[in-house]
Amino acid sequence: MLNGRGPRVKRALTETDSNDAPPKFVAYEDYRALYDHVLKLTRQCLPYGTGPPTIGEPVFCHSNNDVFSFSSPNGDESRPTSYAEISAKNLPKQLSTLSIAQEAAKMLDKATRAVIERFPDSKDDPEQEKRDLEFFSTFSTKHGLPSPSQAHRHPSKTACRPLKLQFASNSDRDKFLNGFFKAKNADPSLSSIQSRPRARRDLTREELKKLYESRKFVYDNNLKEKSSKFIMVDIEYKLNKNPRPFL
């Protein structure tokens, strides 16, 4: 039904729904505004992400029996079609407002974190995260960079668990990463570490998959060419203008 605000889209039942709950519809304009806002946040925080799925056109409710009218592939609009049937066959999967908000919060949180890989780790040391925070606080002060507020070792089976550093903002995180890249080969506190630590932004699961695929391609092809023909740029790779012997 329209109710003066345009067509409405039906949302899925949740555990909190009851017979006394408000009507299970939201104004399409409200849903569209929320979707556009989340899409904007996605592009700001995850420039290489795909973003949420595209939402469909508004759905008009014609009765209380959960029956809707849609154009069929052959142009026949005479037969009413159930919402469940249309959802399964013709409409893109919808995101609830709660799941959209949760995903937006995750992306905003990731946008303020840096991840340090292959940094020395002692899994049996209860003070490891405290030592990590002290190290990178000193490193940041030395190079005039924003200091992290927290350090957390992400559970992993690798010898060195990924180290996540929390910053106050996305710009502080980016400044730290740029400073790390410039100093990693010149600062003895990093260059002397045999495992050769590296840093990146915190990634989504899909981005991590892309990162690992790109790294494998770069390593395999550089090994084959015996030169650094390809280099990594964020989670992608590109041709290196000044290749060097690959060791």
Side-chain angles (χ1 to χ4, degrees), residues 24 68 74 77 88 103 108 121-122 169 181 209 217 242:
K24 297 181 285 293
F68 298 77
N74 59 9
E77 297 184 8
E103 288 303 311
L108 288 172
D121 180 21
S122 178
S169 66
F181 296 144
K209 181 180 179 181
F217 176 89
N242 300 299

Side-chain angles (χ1 to χ4, degrees), residues 95-241:
L95 291 177
S96 70
T97 53
L98 176 60
S99 64
I100 290 176
Q102 289 173 332
E103 288 303 311
K106 290 179 183 178
M107 290 186 290
L108 288 172
D109 199 29
K110 286 181 177 294
T112 58
R113 287 200 297 256
V115 177
I116 312 297
E117 298 177 330
R118 304 189 302 199
F119 192 72
D121 180 21
S122 178
K123 297 182 179 181
D124 298 327
D125 184 359
E127 300 291 311
Q128 182 62 62
E129 292 178 348
K130 179 181 178 180
R131 299 181 195 280
D132 294 332
L133 183 60
E134 291 175 349
F135 178 94
F136 282 103
S137 294
T138 300
F139 171 84
S140 297
T141 300
K142 178 180 178 181
H143 294 280
L145 302 173
S147 293
S149 58
Q150 297 179 30
H152 171 66
R153 288 283 182 167
H154 188 72
S156 173
K157 295 180 180 180
T158 59
C160 298
R161 294 169 294 173
L163 170 61
K164 296 193 174 187
L165 300 177
Q166 184 68 53
F167 292 88
S169 66
N170 174 259
S171 59
D172 280 358
R173 189 278 310 271
D174 289 347
K175 289 177 182 176
F176 173 84
L177 287 176
N178 289 333
F180 182 95
F181 296 144
K182 293 178 180 178
K184 67 177 182 177
N185 293 325
D187 189 325
S189 67
L190 289 177
S191 61
S192 62
I193 299 177
Q194 188 175 3
S195 58
R196 303 173 72 176
R198 57 191 177 195
R200 58 171 172 82
R201 59 188 177 89
D202 200 6
L203 303 173
T204 65
R205 188 168 305 215
E206 292 76 15
E207 288 178 313
L208 273 174
K209 181 180 179 181
K210 178 64 177 177
L211 174 69
Y212 297 149
E213 290 174 351
S214 297
R215 283 179 175 174
K216 185 177 187 308
F217 176 89
V218 169
Y219 178 82
D220 291 346
N221 283 273
N222 285 352
L223 185 63
K224 180 179 178 180
E225 297 290 334
K226 297 183 179 179
S227 71
S228 56
K229 181 178 180 179
F230 296 95
I231 56 175
M232 291 291 302
V233 179
D234 194 56
I235 63 174
E236 305 281 351
Y237 61 84
K238 70 174 185 178
L239 283 171
N240 187 1
K241 296 180 179 179

